[in-house]
Amino acid sequence: MLSRIRPRLNHATVVAYLALFVALGGGSYAAVKVNGKNIKNKSIAGKKLKNRTITRVKVKKKTLTGAEIEDNSLLASNFKTGELPTGPRGATGPRGATGAKGDRGPQGPGATSFGRTVAHSDGEVTLATLDNNLTLTGTCGVSGEVLDLHTTDGGMNFQASGTQFTGGTLFATQVNGGTTGISATGSNGEIDVIARGNASGKFVRVDAHGSFGSPCTFWGMIIRSG
């Protein structure tokens, strides 16, 4: 008698039960679905993430900091410039090898030294002739020497700035045309100036000295400008 009232399971009944089970189970699955709010900081280590599984399109700018990223967990090639924070500056690398020696440059104008003794009977002697219309001469007189710097052509365009020691007195020299040159006389004379013999020539440095004696002695140095 009981067997007659037991309900039979047919196809429609089975489908109905399955639909009910899926509906109830689906809701439960949705309720426990894991999202970003369910993950605590540092709970997922970088070694558990495969390379290229997190790309730049899945990460908002400035949402990851350097402290949250372990070495090799994210590839830099997956991100554009500025999407990941800048790491600390690395240590300075070793100094590179010394480069090859460069070619030698052209020789500069350099300096010319001179030294000469002049007897009383020699008269005026040329000590140096310069290419900027200047000539330096020395004379050994009966009572003193004469050191003279003047224009080679005798023109009145002599220019000079510096010092002179003449007649036992040291004084500043400022000459800007109107004369042929300057002199230093006495038992000891000195001319230390930059000078030129015309308004368009290059200046030279003249450092010349003369001492009275028998014979007189003249010496010094001339430095040409480039």
Side-chain angles (χ1 to χ4, degrees), residues 20-175:
L20 177 61
F21 176 79
V22 171
L24 294 176
S28 299
Y29 171 78
V32 299
K33 185 177 181 181
V34 177
N35 55 41
K37 294 181 180 180
N38 302 126
I39 302 176
K40 294 183 179 180
N41 290 342
K42 300 183 180 180
S43 61
I44 299 179
K47 62 184 179 181
K48 295 182 180 180
L49 299 176
K50 294 183 178 180
N51 288 341
R52 303 182 188 277
T53 57
I54 299 179
T55 62
R56 62 174 180 266
V57 297
K58 298 178 181 179
V59 181
K60 294 182 180 180
K61 291 184 178 180
K62 300 181 180 180
T63 58
L64 294 178
T65 63
E68 296 169 345
I69 302 174
E70 296 185 8
D71 292 342
N72 301 321
S73 62
L74 297 177
L75 295 181
S77 59
N78 290 340
F79 298 87
K80 293 181 179 180
T81 302
E83 290 182 335
L84 287 177
T86 302
R89 183 175 181 179
T92 302
R95 183 176 180 178
T98 302
K101 186 177 181 180
D103 297 334
R104 184 175 182 178
Q107 183 175 354
T112 300
S113 298
F114 64 90
R116 183 168 178 174
T117 57
V118 179
H120 299 292
S121 59
D122 289 339
E124 185 180 65
V125 175
T126 298
L127 303 174
T129 300
L130 309 178
D131 56 6
N132 65 343
N133 195 31
L134 288 180
T135 298
L136 180 67
T137 61
T139 304
C140 188
V142 295
S143 59
E145 55 76 34
V146 180
L147 186 64
D148 190 76
L149 179 65
H150 56 269
T151 57
T152 302
D153 61 5
M156 304 286 285
N157 297 318
F158 181 81
Q159 291 179 309
S161 177
T163 61
Q164 286 177 258
F165 184 76
T166 182
T169 303
L170 178 66
F171 60 93
T173 299
Q174 293 291 335
V175 179

Side-chain angles (χ1 to χ4, degrees), residues 210-221:
S211 295
F212 175 71
S214 184
C216 297
T217 304
F218 298 93
W219 75 97
M221 180 174 64

